[in-house]
Each structure stands twice: as structure tokens, then as C-alpha cells.
Amino acid sequence: MRTTESYESEVKKVYVELFEIDAAPESIGGDEELFGPQCIHGIDSMDVLRFLAVLRKRYGLDVSEIATETFRTPASIAAFLAGREGGSE
């Protein structure tokens, strides 16, 4: 069974690769804002769609399952994915 931590690690890696961020995935904090004015990487809210499209494809998410509030930090995304697929902490 996959853990929340493994999902969080994957989400960070996808984020860094997709937006070509010059940082190690593990340097991104679990509660760090991934988009918007609080984002230290300069990724804006328009990029949310690209990121969600990658997550949708990778994890087989239905569009109706996705709420952008849930997908703001690596930790919140990981918790959603773990809960959805029966993962554990």
C-alpha cells in the first residue's frame, strides 16, 4: 500500500520537472504553496491547469474530483491521493 509520503514525493518531482524548477524536489516543503502569489517559484494560477492535467493522467483522476483548493500544496495533494486510493500515513 502506498503512503502519503510516497505520493508527496512524487507530486514534488512532477512539479519540479513540469515547470523546470532549479531545485531538488525534496527542497519543497509539504505545506508550501505551489501556485499563486505565495509561490516562491514564480508559478502562477494559470499553470494550475497544466499541473492538474499531468496529475489527472498519472493518477486517473476524474475532473469532477479535482478542487483547486485541495491541490494547493504537496501535502494536501498527497493526502487526497492517499485517501482516494486507500493509502496510509
Side-chain angles (χ1 to χ4, degrees):
M1 194 175 318
R2 298 180 67 183
T3 65
T4 302
E5 291 79 13
S6 70
Y7 281 116
E8 187 173 324
S9 177
E10 288 178 17
V11 166
K12 291 176 184 180
K13 183 176 180 187
V14 167
Y15 180 80
V16 166
E17 290 175 358
L18 179 64
F19 298 114
E20 300 176 355
I21 295 171
D22 188 23
E26 53 277 359
S27 71
I28 297 173
D31 292 326
E32 185 174 315
E33 294 281 331
L34 298 178
F35 305 99
Q38 302 300 322
C39 177
I40 64 170
H41 301 289
I43 308 301
D44 64 31
S45 58
M46 295 303 292
D47 290 317
V48 171
L49 299 175
R50 278 183 45 203
F51 187 61
L52 291 179
V54 171
L55 294 180
R56 244 190 0 244
K57 183 176 180 179
R58 183 177 189 126
Y59 298 108
L61 301 177
D62 185 298
V63 173
S64 65
E65 292 180 281
I66 298 173
T68 54
E69 297 78 35
T70 303
F71 286 76
R72 294 189 68 79
T73 69
S76 65
I77 297 168
F80 172 82
L81 292 171
R84 179 180 172 270
E85 295 190 11
S88 63
E89 297 290 325

